Amino acid sequence: MKLKISDACRRNIQKDVDALTKSPKFMEIKADRARIYFPIIEKIFKEEGVPEDFKFLALQESALISDAVSSANAVGFWQFKDFTGREVGLRIDRSVDERLNIVASTHGAAKYFKRHNFYFDNWVYTILAHMTGRGGAGKYVETSNFGKKRMTLDGKTHWYVVRFLAHKIAYEGITGGPNSEGLRLVEYKKGKGKTLSAIAKETKVNEEELKKYNKWLKANKVPGEKTYSVMLPVRGKAPKIKENDTPDKNKTDDEGVDDGLISVKVYPTIDKDLNVSGTIYIKINGIPSILAKRGDGINVLAKKANLTPEKFAKYNDLKMTSIIKEGEIYYMKPKRNRGKIYFYTVQPNETLWDVSQKFGVKLVKLAKLNRMATIDEIKPGRVLWLHKKRPANMPIEYRELPKMPVDEVIPLEEVPKPVIVESETEEEIQEELLKEEVEEPAVANNEVTEEISELDEPIAITTHKVIKGETLYGIAQAMGVSVSDLIEWNDLYDTSLKVGQSLIIHGSVEENLETPETNEVNFHVVEPGDTMYGISKKYGLEVEEILKLNQKENFNLDVGERLRVK
């Protein structure tokens, strides 16, 4: 895209550039880190069809620290929350957290970017949606700019987009060339069943460095259910690694087999030939689909899909009188009997049909997997089973929904400079930054540092022996965890329990159970309608104090978010 930048926007960008370049030492450390990771990101983005400039978003989000954790529990290079990470195909559990894997997380980020650009057809709006989500971006975008290749940015341009451009401007000229230590990362894909110690010995790399660059692996050994990318830190000539066996040419899709449904030449994937004669196609769950535009009806879409209207309606669980939704995905082949992921938490205003379309699963089959009728209402927070049938003895489960931002209009010049908190392994950087930018209460800094360092510590594991009469639901309630967590942690394909069976519990029982509240108010839990200004008045604090106490960069609030107020 070509961007025309107004004087007001230019001034806003310059403010952020000045803040980013204030500490030459800290800037060089981040740039040196980028010299290690950017070549990997660039290669993946080229394969995925994502603009190379999006690499600066990783620098903005996490400073390219693999185990960075935000105050909102977003984790990793691209700062994914767990539910978003799982939606883009990342494994996140007690053994593996692929948000910390540069290869896996970047492929996930590319999928996330393309999903948003599929709707907006505007890469600037796609950047914004990475922070706000597609729904949150709606109030800041103009539909007239959808599909535009030229755009004007002015003084009202969202601060997140401004900060992205500032990162590009500040770092673009200094992230090329080799790392200061001559270090680079080589992808190793033959780690199935091996420990990092064994891989270090085999490839003759430093074991401690190997662990440093592979914090995504929480278990003792690399799991074997799929291929994981282990990053080898090397200097000089890369170690010789035997190539894998010649892949099966028939394996073309992400399930590893050719389903025979689609050819790229017939139905372009999202990363190639996005717009063919004004019509956008995408492949979901291995099925070619089409994006509905304004004014499209069943007859129009059926013609684009080269189907009869009756077949098109059948493939999409529609009636001939159904109204086509703008921006919705509609399938050109029959949907599948099950999804690729195991569970999905229903979002506000979603119907069973919406979930069916989202994951390419037949409506009737989705209902049967969850032991319900297609006309049954589903409440937000309900956990739907997409891959296997929910066992008859397992009750319906509800999860706390992702927090939704509370609207509050804030002038851009009032947004404070970000407080960047590094992990414990970079204490010197942390001290340097705090000296130069902000004096913070020690309690706030310690809280975030502890939160980040949790990923470096071994996860507490306890076991529970099943006694007569116990059920998964009862054990989950007693331990303060969810049923789906118990299934995931223990690989329970058969959910019936046996007396004496040992179940693994992630975290100690004390950690999982709720602790009683004290009379002393240290935190405020955000409720619908709360604003930063209102909370500051309630507790007699300045808005800036609350921002510093909670390491927040902006005034956005999440319903259910805990804000430190003391």
Side-chain angles (χ1 to χ4, degrees), residues 336-349:
R336 298 196 183 279
N337 293 333
R338 61 184 64 208
K340 287 184 179 179
I341 68 172
Y342 279 76
F343 307 105
Y344 174 70
T345 304
V346 178
Q347 303 300 302
N349 303 317

Side-chain angles (χ1 to χ4, degrees), residues 4-59:
K4 182 179 179 181
I5 301 175
S6 71
D7 288 341
C9 184
R10 190 182 303 276
R11 286 192 294 270
N12 292 333
I13 295 173
Q14 188 63 55
K15 288 178 185 177
D16 276 352
V17 171
D18 291 344
L20 290 171
T21 57
K22 185 177 181 180
S23 170
K25 177 182 176 181
F26 182 62
M27 189 176 180
E28 174 55 26
I29 289 171
K30 291 208 316 187
D32 207 36
R33 204 179 293 136
R35 294 174 195 128
I36 296 174
Y37 288 114
F38 272 6
I40 299 170
I41 296 174
E42 290 165 2
K43 180 176 180 291
I44 292 172
F45 279 178
K46 185 176 181 180
E47 294 170 356
E48 295 275 7
V50 170
E52 184 181 302
D53 278 343
F54 273 47
K55 65 189 179 185
F56 295 105
L57 204 54
L59 205 59

